[in-house]
Amino acid sequence: MTRRESLKIFLAAGIWSALKGRVNAAQPSSMKDIENLQKNWKALLAEGTKLPSPSEPLKLSKEEWRQRLNPTQFNILREEGTEPPGTSPLNNEKRPGIFVCIGCNLALFTSDMKYESGTGWPSFFTTIPGVFANKTDYKLILPRSEYHCIRCGGHHGHVFDDGPPPTGKRWWNNGIALRFIPRDGGKS
């Protein structure tokens, strides 16, 4: 097999994997379905779990953040770093539940909002409303929309316009910036 043939097979496998994830997931077909997901997100919350409100800001000093987070989490949430693709165990998380900010426990996404984008990072087609603030990022020269937790200001990732219908959005998130809480209350 030539190098060119190998590259074609590798590329085709990658495209198939990305498309398969998008097709196999039971995704909402209308914006009304998206609104229902956003409105009813607490149905996936484990019984007895208490989470903060977006209106309860968490402001800590740089040193307090260093004590609260491990060095990798600090780099991503406080210094706008990026984890390598394919390294997050949350890529394979399929259980029903809620994804919260690792910095402040604010609920950000549900498992019903997650899809396989083929990018190597946990990806979502929508969010729980009112949990992120966006800003334009020019680090790669071309502008990108970066998003941060509204409660603690932690950097989570970028949002792109190449997601599945009906939103067309891909919220790719650094997995290290998230903690998963399964609905059944099992181990994260």
Side-chain angles (χ1 to χ4, degrees), residues 165-176:
T167 64
K169 299 293 183 191
R170 173 172 52 97
W171 297 76
W172 80 256
N173 213 98
N174 286 291
I176 199 86

Side-chain angles (χ1 to χ4, degrees), residues 83 86-95 98-100 102 114-116 120-124 173-181 188:
E83 70 187 354
T87 59
S88 175
L90 295 180
N91 285 336
N92 299 317
E93 183 57 67
K94 308 284 189 235
R95 295 175 292 172
I98 304 289
F99 295 87
V100 301
I102 197 77
K114 187 174 184 270
Y115 77 103
E116 177 52 57
W121 289 280
S123 298
F124 305 85
N173 213 98
N174 286 291
I176 199 86
L178 297 170
R179 181 170 62 92
F180 181 71
I181 302 172
S188 297

Side-chain angles (χ1 to χ4, degrees), residues 34 52 71 89 97 101 115 184:
I34 297 291
C101 176
Y115 77 103
D184 67 9

Side-chain angles (χ1 to χ4, degrees), residues 55-70:
S55 62
E56 301 169 17
L58 178 63
K59 303 229 183 266
L60 301 176
S61 70
K62 191 173 188 176
E63 191 52 42
E64 288 170 317
W65 280 117
R66 283 192 189 281
Q67 291 172 9
R68 186 179 184 110
L69 304 170
N70 71 38

Side-chain angles (χ1 to χ4, degrees), residues 120-135:
W121 289 280
S123 298
F124 305 85
F125 52 81
T126 192
T127 72
I128 293 172
V131 298
F132 289 120
N134 291 35
K135 76 175 193 177

Side-chain angles (χ1 to χ4, degrees), residues 142-155:
L142 295 175
R144 300 181 297 170
S145 182
E146 180 178 281
Y147 59 96
H148 292 252
C149 174
I150 198 82
R151 182 166 188 254
C152 72
H155 167 75

